[in-house]
Amino acid sequence: EDHLTTARYFNHWSWSAPLAAGVDDLMGNHANTHIPEIIGNARGYELTGNVTDKAIVDEFFAAVTANHSWATAGSNDYEYWQAPAQMGDNLNDHTEESCTQYNMLKLARHMYKWSAN
């Protein structure tokens, strides 16, 4: 339990609170700062059953895959998310940071374990 308490100190609640409420507030945020944080929420849900953690993960994954991704699974420009559903406006030679794609796959693996879906 001490580890979980310590882990919660690393969560940017001002960033994840809108996700918990079902709001896509990704624009302007650094992708590879926050994807690992969401993976932490996924692990938190697995260990505690905390429904807020699950809500954050579900909304985040839905927002990224529906409004912030290209068909190749890339989701950001210069490692920052842009306006929802405006991906074409930001396509350039600094698009699709591969480490963010890898981290999204790690998140998807957690989610798959929950429902095999």
Side-chain angles (χ1 to χ4, degrees):
E1 188 157 316
D2 290 339
H3 291 83
L4 179 61
T5 300
T6 301
R8 295 289 186 204
Y9 288 117
F10 290 93
N11 191 298
H12 296 99
W13 293 111
S14 62
W15 181 80
S16 59
L19 293 169
V23 176
D24 175 352
D25 194 27
L26 301 182
M27 187 176 94
N29 286 287
H30 186 260
N32 230 15
T33 295
H34 295 296
I35 300 171
E37 191 172 339
I38 298 297
I39 293 169
N41 289 108
R43 188 67 179 132
Y45 169 69
E46 292 167 359
L47 294 172
T48 67
N50 182 304
V51 294
T52 301
D53 279 327
K54 186 174 187 305
I56 290 167
V57 171
D58 289 341
E59 177 59 30
F60 173 80
F61 195 81
V64 170
T65 56
N67 297 314
H68 297 277
S69 291
W70 289 281
T72 56
S75 67
N76 56 79
D77 181 44
Y78 287 94
E79 293 192 32
Y80 285 85
W81 287 299
Q82 307 302 319
Q86 302 294 317
M87 300 297 291
D89 295 344
N90 299 295
L91 189 58
N92 60 57
D93 62 340
H94 293 288
T95 301
E96 297 200 42
E97 184 75 24
S98 63
C99 54
T100 59
Q101 291 165 303
Y102 173 72
N103 281 332
M104 286 299 293
L105 288 171
K106 287 172 49 177
L107 179 60
R109 180 176 56 210
H110 283 277
M111 296 175 75
Y112 182 76
K113 288 181 198 177
W114 304 342
S115 67
N117 184 5

